[in-house]
Amino acid sequence: MSTLKLYDYWRSSAAYRLRIALNFKGIKYDSLPVNIAPGADEQFGETYRILNPQMRVPSVSLDGRISGQSMAILEWLEETHPEPPLLPSDPWERMEVRAFADTIACDIHPIDNLSVLAQLRTQFGADDNAVGVWYREWITRGFAALETIAMKHPGSDFLFGDHPTLAEVCLIPQVSNARRFNTDLTPYPKLLDVDSICRELPAFKAAEPEAVKPS
Ligand SMILES: N[C@@H](CCC(=O)N[C@@H](CS)C(=O)NCC(=O)O)C(=O)O
């Protein structure tokens, strides 16, 4: 089997999820940067569009096959590399972890995505200030719910059980995005505690945007 290729962008929080999971499971991969920064726009170029018609990162490719969508890729990684696990063994708890992760991946991240922000500017004339207000609004609403859920396990270092799961894999990149857009995170002390504990773990540390930023 050849080495897994990750179509990656250092600042993409969806790609950051995969870097964490790959490091956590000790899976070797080659990172192939796709520069999605406004102005570079490599995701829209012919070369990448053929690989991923949705024109987004991340994608993974292995043995001539390619797939996008970070949550589907995370599930595939869990199925093909079950150890160490990123989901609990109990089905109800697995559902709770997925529900937490999906709050970020389905309800917060998509409406704060680069192309949505660009559309706010071009279609509705939003300026930097308006875009920032929009961005923070969806994080604030989502994090308020996630803090309440997280407080069900107040004494634990992690969100569900005694090790990180897909919940942390999605949370830590989203907290990083929130900081980048100057979101007030003081109302979410449990999420911040989990964030600071995870960011000390080697798998999370090595996946951070600043750690993988091209020089
Ligand atoms: N649901 C997708 C979202 C992927 C996504 O939106 N990626 C962003 C970067 S975090 C992107 O490529 N944006 C490019 C654009 O909006 O043009 C996933 O989880 O993989």
Side-chain angles (χ1 to χ4, degrees):
M1 196 190 279
S2 57
T3 304
L4 185 75
K5 292 188 182 73
L6 171 65
Y7 293 86
D8 198 2
Y9 178 62
W10 65 281
R11 246 185 182 165
S12 157
S13 60
Y16 186 0
R17 294 172 197 155
L18 296 191
R19 296 195 300 264
I20 295 170
L22 288 162
N23 295 343
F24 186 78
K25 289 179 177 290
I27 302 168
K28 198 169 150 333
Y29 67 96
D30 292 330
S31 171
L32 304 180
V34 180
N35 189 350
I36 65 169
D41 296 319
E42 284 179 7
Q43 74 274 32
F44 302 126
E46 182 71 6
T47 316
Y48 190 65
R49 191 149 39 93
I50 290 168
L51 300 172
N52 183 329
Q54 214 193 352
M55 298 178 278
R56 291 183 178 192
V57 290
S59 306
V60 288
S61 128
L62 184 67
D63 295 331
R65 298 197 287 182
I66 184 154
S67 177
Q69 289 297 345
S70 64
M71 301 312 287
I73 297 164
L74 288 170
E75 293 282 350
W76 171 74
L77 287 174
E78 189 66 10
E79 286 162 9
T80 52
H81 298 79
E83 295 295 330
L86 279 168
L87 283 170
S89 52
D90 176 74
W92 187 274
E93 289 173 14
R94 291 164 85 88
M95 178 173 67
E96 288 182 318
V97 168
R98 289 178 171 125
F100 190 101
D102 284 354
T103 303
I104 294 166
C106 305
D107 296 343
I108 300 176
H109 179 267
I111 36 181
D112 276 351
N113 190 20
L114 199 57
S115 45
V116 172
L117 304 186
Q119 196 69 16
L120 290 177
R121 291 177 196 277
T122 54
Q123 192 172 354
F124 301 108
D127 59 11
D128 286 349
N129 183 56
V131 166
V133 170
W134 169 278
Y135 197 97
R136 289 185 290 276
E137 174 66 23
W138 305 112
I139 291 189
T140 301
R141 289 198 204 186
F143 276 14
L146 295 177
E147 176 73 11
T148 306
I149 295 165
M151 282 309 291
K152 288 183 183 169
H153 313 279
S156 159
D157 280 357
F158 298 104
L159 294 162
F160 300 91
D162 58 2
H163 63 81
T165 63
L166 294 187
E168 284 85 358
V169 165
C170 290
L171 175 66
I172 278 52
Q174 194 60 55
V175 171
S176 163
N177 279 353
R179 287 203 175 97
R180 214 176 118 211
F181 278 78
N182 302 317
T183 313
D184 175 14
L185 295 175
T186 51
Y188 322 112
K190 175 67 185 173
L191 300 185
L192 287 182
D193 282 353
V194 172
D195 178 67
S196 60
I197 288 165
C198 286
R199 283 176 46 232
E200 289 306 313
L201 303 177
F204 286 75
K205 223 184 218 328
E208 282 184 1
E210 290 303 321
V212 299
K213 182 179 174 178
S215 44

